[in-house]
Amino acid sequence: WAVVSVSLTLEVEAIAYGPSPLPVQDVPSSELDAFFMALTLMGPTITICTDCQMVVDGWEAGEAGTTHPNKAYAELWRQIWRRVEDVGRENVQVVKIAAHQSRRAAFNHG
């Protein structure tokens, strides 16, 4: 996982990264680890810009739609929702962006 905090002018303010704490590392769990770490390290008001549709879909599905025991990555989602509860859902925004865009394209995206 990795997260980057940028200013409104897209200047890098902070970077954090590390291995997944799970024994099996895959892309979805790494995306969720990054989401959790961004919520933990950044804030208190945060906009998560992600190219991962699973994260966006999970955010839109809410806690009930992501934490049922038969849902993939339910435990990771439970950790995310506990953190969201701490900071307040009203202080978190999740935005889908295109992957691997230039700084100019990201800035123009808003």
Side-chain angles (χ1 to χ4, degrees):
W1 62 266
V3 295
V4 178
S5 176
V6 296
S7 69
L8 294 175
T9 58
L10 299 181
E11 297 300 318
V12 174
E13 295 178 331
I15 298 171
Y17 58 90
S20 174
L22 297 176
V24 176
Q25 297 191 19
D26 59 15
V27 172
S29 66
S30 293
E31 294 284 352
L32 292 174
D33 287 336
F35 188 11
F36 176 78
M37 293 308 293
L39 290 169
T40 301
L41 300 172
M42 315 299 177
T45 302
I46 185 169
T47 299
I48 305 285
C49 297
T50 180
D51 64 347
C52 182
Q53 190 64 49
M54 183 206 53
V55 169
V56 175
D57 292 345
W59 179 255
E60 291 172 357
E63 186 171 2
T66 55
T67 59
H68 189 276
N70 71 348
K71 294 289 187 179
Y73 309 103
E75 183 54 37
L76 288 172
W77 277 110
R78 279 192 277 287
Q79 292 174 16
I80 288 167
W81 292 116
R82 282 192 295 269
R83 185 66 188 131
V84 168
E85 187 177 310
D86 289 344
V87 300
R89 187 172 175 131
E90 68 278 4
N91 294 317
V92 181
Q93 181 181 10
V94 176
V95 177
K96 175 76 165 78
I97 61 169
H100 312 288
Q101 26 180 346
S102 68
R103 183 181 284 212
R104 179 181 297 264
F107 186 79
N108 289 337
H109 177 72

